[in-house]
Amino acid sequence: RAVTAMCGDGGNDTGALRAAHVGIALSEAEASIVSPFSSANPSIMSCVTLLREGRAGLATTLAAYKFLVNYAVVMALLLEVTQFYFSVIVPEAVWIMVDGFTTSIMILSITQAQTAKKLAPSRPTGQLIGAHTLASIWGQAAINIAFLYGSIGLLFAQSWFRCNEFDSSNIDTSLWWLLGDNYEAEVISIVCLFQFINAAGVYNFGYRYRRVWATNYLLVLMYSAFLAVVSAIALADPNRFGCVFRINCGNTQTVRDLGYSASTVHISEYNNPLGHNVMPRHFRWTLWAMCVVNAVVCLAYEKLVVLGPVGRRVKAWWVAKHGDSKIQFKL
């Protein structure tokens, strides 16, 4: 189906401006209110501005959509499945951070991307389940799954590791909100927090329709702040802040017996036989490094494969074989 655009001065062409799919009146006269768009600049270049803004809006909307789908995939295929398999529940504070702060703030930050300065020769994809969209979403999911399960495998290979024992002789199963007091839930929490946050950075890439990554100042600020917070939680010795998330913490006397200064924050007694889930320093740094590599690989996949030379070559091959229905033009 053809899409019609019309621009005029909003005088005797108001009918056409109203009837077109996209109408822009190059006037501030009262008659111009019949047009969906109007411009104080009486130049046809206002059409270029409208196209740039529209394409940036579509690209940003799709980026936000992919971020939320990625959130659902990580939540369902990684977090929920591993919780069910190991009979654990990540701590309450982790849920609050993910649903109450990370997701809402990062989705808002994604929408603050600025419009590209030049008009691209073709429009961005608008297909929610098209090849381009699915390649991005499922590629990210595959990378995240590999790193989460790799992290859990690394945990099980440690000599100090004691697996979660889900029976009433060792833990109180009625205290379901404390079923994260173990190493499995701790590793799942740290890795998934990194993945939730990094997804916003992945979908902040502008490609041809939005400006470069670093010009979205709110996202850069929030992305850096959240990663710094999660890194501090993952790497620090037992402390008041980490104990709120029940990560690298434990009962007061148990923490002292391990050689750390006991936290002064009040927390419920640990609901496991060990009385703590403090990981050795070397393993904390190894796990953090895996999370950083996970983030870099996800960013590189989106930048180089989906939006970069690999994706362009695949598209060129597809167009050469099947043709291209898009009309390219330059203004």
Side-chain angles (χ1 to χ4, degrees):
R1 185 169 65 90
V3 177
T4 303
M6 171 67 186
C7 70
D9 60 7
N12 60 356
D13 52 11
T14 53
L17 290 171
R18 181 66 175 175
H21 293 99
V22 180
I24 177 170
L26 308 178
S27 169
E28 293 183 317
E30 292 182 1
S32 67
I33 62 174
V34 301
S35 176
F37 302 97
S38 62
S39 173
N41 180 19
S43 169
I44 196 173
M45 290 302 293
S46 296
C47 298
V48 177
T49 302
L50 180 60
L51 286 169
R52 287 193 298 108
E53 293 290 345
R55 290 177 177 181
L58 177 59
T60 300
T61 300
L62 196 64
Y65 162 79
K66 290 192 289 185
F67 172 79
L68 291 177
V69 172
N70 183 280
Y71 163 82
V73 169
V74 172
M75 183 69 73
L77 295 184
L78 281 74
L79 192 60
E80 297 293 351
V81 169
T82 50
Q83 282 188 138
F84 177 79
Y85 182 81
F86 292 113
S87 300
V88 301
I89 298 177
V90 300
E92 288 178 294
V94 174
W95 288 111
I96 293 172
M97 183 174 182
V98 171
D99 294 331
F101 295 94
T102 304
T103 304
S104 56
I105 292 176
M106 298 312 283
I107 193 69
L108 172 64
S109 301
I110 289 175
T111 64
Q112 303 307 301
Q114 300 183 42
T115 305
K117 295 182 179 180
K118 294 183 179 180
L119 179 65
S122 62
R123 52 159 284 182
T125 179
Q127 297 180 344
L128 298 181
I129 53 174
H132 188 273
T133 305
L134 293 179
S136 175
I137 293 172
W138 289 112
Q140 297 293 330
I143 294 169
N144 287 334
I145 289 172
F147 274 93
L148 176 61
Y149 292 162
S151 299
I152 294 173
L154 180 65
L155 172 67
F156 273 73
Q158 304 304 306
S159 59
W160 47 264
F161 169 69
R162 178 173 177 177
C163 65
N164 179 48
E165 301 173 18
F166 188 75
D167 63 80
S168 58
S169 64
N170 289 289
I171 62 173
D172 186 349
T173 55
S174 66
L175 301 177
W176 58 267
W177 59 93
L178 298 181
L179 296 181
D181 292 345
N182 47 73
Y183 293 118
E184 293 94 332
E186 184 175 30
V187 169
I188 293 169
S189 298
I190 293 171
V191 176
C192 286
L193 279 172
F194 267 97
Q195 292 175 349
F196 283 128
I197 297 165
N198 190 61
V202 166
Y203 297 122
N204 186 47
F205 285 119
Y207 192 38
R208 300 176 177 178
Y209 314 105
R210 298 178 292 165
R211 295 189 191 178
V212 296
W213 198 92
T215 58
N216 188 343
Y217 304 117
L218 178 61
L219 187 137
V220 171
L221 176 63
M222 293 294 101
Y223 180 79
S224 302
F226 277 123
L227 287 182
V229 169
V230 176
S231 295
I233 294 172
L235 294 174
D237 290 339
N239 62 85
R240 299 182 65 182
F241 185 62
C243 286
V244 171
F245 292 86
R246 302 185 80 82
I247 292 177
N248 287 317
C249 192
N251 298 330
T252 302
Q253 188 57 50
T254 304
V255 170
R256 287 175 179 167
D257 292 341
L258 292 172
Y260 300 104
S261 298
S263 171
T264 57
V265 68
H266 174 72
I267 60 170
S268 302
E269 289 292 304
Y270 257 60
N271 191 25
N272 71 17
L274 293 176
H276 74 93
N277 62 353
V278 180
M279 299 181 292
R281 289 190 182 95
H282 72 274
F283 183 80
R284 287 180 237 159
W285 281 99
T286 302
L287 180 64
W288 179 83
M290 288 189 67
C291 292
V292 171
V293 174
N294 183 180
V296 171
V297 172
C298 286
L299 291 167
Y301 173 80
E302 187 73 13
K303 181 67 174 176
L304 301 178
V305 177
V306 178
L307 303 177
V310 177
R312 288 195 292 269
R313 288 183 181 180
V314 171
K315 181 179 179 181
W317 170 82
W318 180 266
V319 170
K321 187 174 182 179
H322 300 280
D324 189 1
S325 60
K326 291 184 179 179
I327 301 175
Q328 296 198 5
F329 63 93
K330 293 184 179 180
L331 293 178

